[in-house]
Amino acid sequence: MNLESLKNRFAEVFYKGKIITAYIKGIKEKRLYLILPSGKEELINFSFLIYFEERQTAISDLNQIIALLKEKNENREKIKDAFNILEIWEVLVEETETIHVKEAVELLLGKTPSEDEIAGFIRKALEDRIYFRLKEPNVLQVISKKEVERFILQKQKELEKLKKLNEGEEFIKALQSKSIESYPPEIKDFWISALKEFVLWENQTPSGKLACEVLKRLNMDEPYKVFSLLVEAGIFDEDENLELLRTHYPVSFSEKELKEAELIAKMEISEEEREDLTHLYTITIDAEETQDFDDALSFEEKEDKYILYIHIAEVADFLKPGLALWEGALEKACTLYLPDRIYPMLPFSLSHEKFSLKKNELKPALTFKILLDKSLNLLSFEPVLSLIKVKERLTYERVDELLSKDSLFQKLYEIFIYFKKKREEKEIYAVFLPEIQVKVRPDGKIIVKKVEMTPSRILIAEAMILTNTLTAQFLYQNQIPAIYRSQPKPLEIIEKIEDNFYLKLLQLKYLAKSELSLQPAYHSGLGLDFYTTLTSPIRRFLDLLMQYQLKAFLLKKSPLAKEVLIKILPELSENIQRATQIQNKRTKYFLLKYLKIYMQDEPLKGLVLDIQNKKAKVYLIDYNITGEVIGFKGNLNPGEEITVKVEKVNPHLEILRLKIV
């Protein structure tokens, strides 16, 4: 179907579990740009389209579109109940397997139907879900008699499940009194599963919905109340990672993935031609606790030039499309570093052993040679397949010490700071807040530490940024299909934020989200015209994918086609968003728990962000988290620094109530 032909048409779409009328304003890639009856504009996948009108209706007035949408939506909702779906199904079931919805309504009414009648019919048919199924937009599949009988039988079984409501009520009461031992295993399993589903998705699943009905009877249909009950019963842990369960993030590897990992771990380095760089003084610089090393550095100073070597673990030598590990890495999107544990993108036998650039071990790498003159002008950039051997494993703390006395590290720092300043001369909009690192020790103790951006960390960050931007440019210039990172300009620009922490936080509100796309675009947070990432292939799928593309080019083989990347892109974007959400929520949970346990009576530095109706949002400067002060006396002003104490914390509900002291 030519999606462009759908523009300026009224349509029926699935939206948030309902069928509603929408106006197709435009097309963006394979997504529909809609106006909804509420006036909201939304971008949805083409697969959610149910029906579109025959004629285009070009309207530029937004208010007129919204008025028509409301009118059509109401009419269609009223019309739908006038149709007898069974009647038309009985006529069609012996005649055809599919039918255009207009023909079906015309057959039923005996006249040419209006657009509202067609749309009302398709609503009824799809809400009924017994006799018809959507084949494609405007086309219904006629369900066979056998399948309808099976479905009706299933519905009867669901009705029988409703009889379990009384059973469920008694079970929950028994669970509260810790006396469920007498229940048969199948009843216990059903209701415990139903209660878990309610905690995670409320009434969005059949079992969760059934549990919700029972819980309403008991006046406890709040997920947190049920969660607390399941904790007391020993079914959930107090620190259960609900977001992990809620989003179906894969926390383990399939048997097929583990078998592939076992085979890969035994593989020798491929016989492809590689440049032997084992003679170089190669180092890794990471945090003390790092165990998976995916980047290393070397440096040579010649008479008239410098050579930077950025070595990246060559994962694409072993992982390829089609492998279960490749698909699993795409699903995970990245290694998940949570305060209480790590969920690796690849099995530890690969991420921490086979691929990791460990000291004194011969490793294949993708090395980026960056040639500079003594004025730090870029002379050349060359990616090569290499063999390396790390001579020294250094920590950030050790490199910070060496920067004060070692000329090698001083020169490296000088070079990368030069490129950092060059970026910052451009139109750059970035807000850097202190990184708050939250860790949970095996004994359960929570450690919260502010991570300062020391010179060693800046050095490594800039080395990776430089490598990524030069690689992105290389991919583009050589027409290698790639996925690029970009960030639009802020929605609003706050001036003179450098020395004003409050203005930085204000600017943060207006920063645009970074984006992935198949064409390079300006990255306003980095000040770069070209940017991708491929320096962490052990930890990020995008980096693995870009490494695969680059390596194929270097070996004069075919990289994945642009069409393949188009299919990967939305899934990857969604999976990255999921992983980021889990990471952020888990960090916030333990940070709130830390404040509850260790800081309940301690004075804390706060910064007033916003005030509305005697309710103030207050940012805790040392913890990079925002809480609320309610019902305070006197006057507060945005930007004012105050001292507060913790009044109430609920980590699972993300509640942080503060009081002024």
Side-chain angles (χ1 to χ4, degrees):
M1 173 183 286
N2 178 12
L3 295 186
E4 287 295 326
S5 68
L6 295 174
K7 285 171 65 174
N8 300 329
R9 294 180 195 256
F10 287 96
E12 298 290 288
V13 296
F14 280 120
Y15 182 74
K16 292 188 176 179
K18 288 183 174 181
I19 300 175
I20 64 168
T21 308
Y23 183 76
I24 304 173
K25 187 177 179 181
I27 307 298
K28 188 175 182 182
E29 294 181 354
K30 289 198 173 181
R31 300 177 125 196
L32 307 179
Y33 184 36
L34 304 179
I35 299 174
L36 305 178
S38 63
K40 183 179 178 183
E41 297 185 11
E42 190 75 89
L43 201 62
I44 70 165
N45 194 287
F46 169 73
S47 61
F48 291 107
L49 178 65
I50 296 168
Y51 171 75
F52 56 88
E53 294 189 357
E54 283 187 354
R55 296 180 182 177
Q56 292 178 318
T57 310
I59 307 172
S60 58
D61 187 331
L62 180 60
N63 290 328
Q64 186 183 356
I65 293 172
I66 294 169
L68 282 169
L69 284 172
K70 287 180 178 177
E71 181 185 338
K72 284 176 177 286
N73 201 50
E74 288 173 10
N75 285 344
R76 293 170 180 190
E77 196 62 21
K78 289 175 185 175
I79 287 171
K80 73 177 184 183
D81 292 325
F83 291 106
N84 187 327
I85 298 297
L86 174 59
E87 181 184 339
I88 186 64
W89 174 78
E90 287 176 336
V91 172
L92 295 172
V93 69
E94 302 290 352
E95 302 294 328
T96 184
E97 291 182 359
T98 61
I99 189 167
H100 194 287
V101 64
K102 182 181 179 182
E103 293 176 23
V105 183
E106 193 167 9
L107 188 61
L108 184 61
L109 298 179
K111 63 168 187 169
T112 302
S114 68
E115 293 287 1
D116 283 355
E117 285 172 327
I118 298 170
F121 177 83
I122 203 166
R123 283 192 184 199
K124 182 71 172 179
L126 296 180
E127 285 176 9
D128 179 80
R129 293 186 300 171
I130 298 176
Y131 304 105
F132 295 97
R133 190 177 295 137
L134 188 68
K135 175 75 172 175
E136 59 188 64
N138 293 22
V139 178
L140 290 174
Q141 178 184 348
V142 183
I143 307 302
S144 68
K145 281 186 176 180
K146 189 175 180 180
E147 196 172 342
V148 165
E149 287 168 2
R150 188 164 57 243
F151 188 77
I152 290 172
L153 183 62
Q154 182 185 335
K155 293 289 274 185
Q156 289 170 345
K157 288 180 180 178
E158 286 176 6
L159 289 173
E160 288 171 9
K161 278 188 181 180
L162 293 179
K163 296 175 185 177
K164 292 174 70 72
L165 286 171
N166 287 334
E167 174 190 274
E169 187 173 348
E170 293 304 313
F171 178 84
I172 292 170
K173 287 177 181 176
L175 191 62
Q176 287 174 310
S177 60
K178 299 181 180 177
S179 56
I180 61 171
E181 296 81 6
S182 61
Y183 281 87
E186 63 272 15
I187 292 177
K188 281 197 283 191
D189 290 347
F190 174 82
W191 284 108
I192 287 171
S193 176
L195 291 171
K196 283 182 176 180
E197 288 185 24
F198 175 75
V199 170
L200 297 171
W201 304 291
E202 299 187 34
N203 59 0
Q204 298 303 303
T205 67
S207 295
K209 190 173 183 179
L210 191 61
C212 183
E213 289 183 50
V214 178
L215 292 163
K216 279 180 180 177
R217 292 184 181 185
L218 299 168
N219 195 31
M220 56 180 295
D221 55 324
E222 295 177 18
Y224 183 67
K225 283 184 180 180
V226 181
F227 171 75
S228 300
L229 174 62
L230 294 177
V231 170
E232 287 174 22
I235 295 163
F236 270 148
D237 183 75
E238 181 192 345
D239 297 323
E240 196 75 41
N241 192 333
L242 298 180
E243 197 63 26
L244 205 66
L245 299 173
R246 191 174 284 124
T247 58
H248 300 293
Y249 186 88
V251 297
S252 59
F253 296 98
S254 68
E255 189 177 335
K256 191 173 182 183
E257 286 175 296
L258 293 174
K259 283 183 179 177
E260 287 179 357
E262 191 178 341
L263 290 172
I264 289 170
K266 296 174 184 175
M267 286 182 182
E268 299 294 328
I269 298 170
S270 62
E271 296 180 1
E272 292 150 354
E273 187 175 332
R274 294 179 178 276
E275 188 169 342
D276 189 342
L277 300 177
T278 54
H279 64 284
L280 293 173
Y281 173 65
T282 300
I283 59 171
T284 59
I285 305 173
D286 291 273
E288 179 69 45
E289 64 272 15
T290 300
Q291 295 179 5
D292 49 344
F293 305 98
D294 51 17
D295 60 82
L297 301 176
S298 305
F299 177 69
E300 285 186 311
E301 182 172 358
K302 305 291 186 180
E303 186 176 327
D304 59 343
K305 62 195 173 200
Y306 302 121
I307 308 175
L308 293 170
Y309 299 87
I310 312 295
H311 312 284
I312 305 301
E314 202 198 310
V315 181
D317 194 36
F318 302 94
L319 255 62
K320 295 175 171 59
L323 289 179
L325 281 169
W326 177 278
E327 296 303 322
L330 171 57
E331 188 181 4
K332 292 179 180 73
C334 61
T335 292
L336 210 52
Y337 293 97
L338 304 182
D340 52 335
R341 66 172 299 171
I342 296 171
Y343 293 100
M345 185 178 80
L346 303 172
F348 278 147
S349 60
L350 301 181
S351 62
H352 287 50
E353 297 295 334
K354 181 71 174 181
F355 300 148
S356 187
L357 302 180
K358 299 171 79 172
K359 182 179 175 181
N360 293 328
E361 292 186 11
L362 185 67
K363 296 286 182 177
L366 186 56
T367 294
F368 299 91
K369 292 184 184 178
I370 302 171
L371 198 63
L372 309 170
D373 65 21
K374 287 297 177 86
S375 299
L376 303 186
N377 295 306
L378 179 66
L379 300 177
S380 67
F381 171 75
E382 181 188 9
V384 297
L385 300 175
S386 65
L387 285 173
I388 67 165
K389 187 176 283 189
V390 172
K391 302 295 193 296
E392 200 161 358
R393 181 261 199 267
L394 298 174
T395 63
Y396 290 121
E397 291 77 12
R398 178 59 181 148
V399 173
D400 282 326
E401 292 173 10
L402 292 170
L403 279 167
S404 64
K405 54 190 177 185
D406 189 298
S407 60
L408 165 65
F409 290 98
Q410 288 170 348
K411 179 55 68 178
L412 277 172
Y413 184 71
E414 177 191 326
I415 290 170
F416 289 121
I417 284 296
Y418 168 79
F419 284 102
K420 181 176 187 288
K421 288 179 179 176
K422 277 188 72 174
R423 288 194 297 108
E424 290 171 346
E425 288 171 2
K426 296 184 179 180
E427 201 171 20
I428 186 168
Y429 303 99
V431 176
F432 298 103
L433 297 178
E435 182 188 343
I436 305 300
Q437 190 179 79
V438 184
K439 297 287 183 186
V440 181
R441 294 197 324 204
D443 63 2
K445 185 175 175 63
I446 304 169
I447 307 297
V448 174
K449 183 173 70 172
K450 187 182 286 189
V451 179
E452 300 294 342
M453 201 61 177
T454 64
S456 63
R457 290 177 181 272
I458 293 171
L459 186 156
I460 291 301
E462 291 301 321
M464 298 307 115
I465 289 171
L466 179 61
T467 305
N468 285 328
T469 188
L470 291 176
T471 302
Q473 198 165 353
F474 184 90
L475 291 166
Y476 182 74
Q477 289 171 345
N478 289 281
Q479 298 182 328
I480 305 167
I483 295 177
Y484 299 91
R485 283 190 175 275
S486 61
Q487 185 178 19
K489 291 181 182 179
L491 303 174
E492 186 176 320
I493 297 168
I494 310 295
E495 301 292 341
K496 299 177 181 178
I497 70 169
E498 291 79 12
D499 301 317
N500 189 311
F501 200 70
Y502 169 69
L503 293 181
K504 281 186 179 181
L505 293 171
L506 197 59
Q507 180 66 84
L508 195 62
K509 285 171 51 180
Y510 299 112
L511 291 185
K513 289 183 179 179
S514 62
E515 298 174 352
L516 297 179
S517 61
L518 298 173
Q519 287 295 324
Y522 189 68
H523 197 301
S524 69
L526 294 173
L528 295 168
D529 294 312
F530 295 87
Y531 198 68
T532 189
T533 58
L534 87 165
T535 53
S536 289
I538 292 174
R539 305 171 187 175
R540 293 191 297 243
F541 179 79
L542 175 59
D543 299 47
L544 167 60
L545 177 60
M546 292 303 92
Q547 187 181 90
Y548 180 87
Q549 296 295 87
L550 181 57
K551 183 182 176 185
F553 175 81
L554 295 177
L555 293 175
K556 296 181 171 53
K557 295 181 180 179
S558 297
L560 296 177
K562 186 176 181 180
E563 291 71 24
V564 176
L565 298 191
I566 288 171
K567 290 180 181 177
I568 289 174
L569 184 57
E571 184 180 353
L572 177 58
S573 298
E574 190 175 316
N575 291 344
I576 290 172
Q577 185 178 353
R578 174 179 65 173
T580 303
Q581 181 176 313
I582 293 169
Q583 175 76 55
N584 292 343
K585 281 187 170 288
R586 196 60 171 167
T587 301
K588 186 174 185 180
Y589 170 81
F590 279 110
L591 186 52
L592 287 170
K593 188 171 182 180
Y594 174 86
L595 293 172
K596 182 177 183 178
I597 296 172
Y598 306 105
M599 307 302 292
Q600 194 77 45
D601 298 313
E602 298 295 322
L604 305 169
K605 289 189 290 183
L607 183 67
V608 179
L609 297 182
D610 186 35
I611 301 165
Q612 287 185 354
N613 302 323
K614 285 294 179 180
K615 183 188 287 188
K617 283 187 178 179
V618 177
Y619 174 83
L620 296 185
I621 294 169
D622 293 325
Y623 296 98
N624 193 21
I625 195 170
T626 301
E628 285 186 336
V629 175
I630 298 175
F632 55 87
K633 294 179 181 179
N635 293 319
L636 289 178
N637 298 302
E640 181 180 347
E641 288 194 20
I642 58 174
T643 302
V644 295
K645 283 187 177 181
V646 172
E647 184 176 46
K648 180 184 176 183
V649 182
N650 187 315
H652 276 293
L653 296 179
E654 298 186 352
I655 292 172
L656 176 58
R657 192 84 47 79
L658 306 167
K659 58 185 177 183
I660 300 172
V661 295

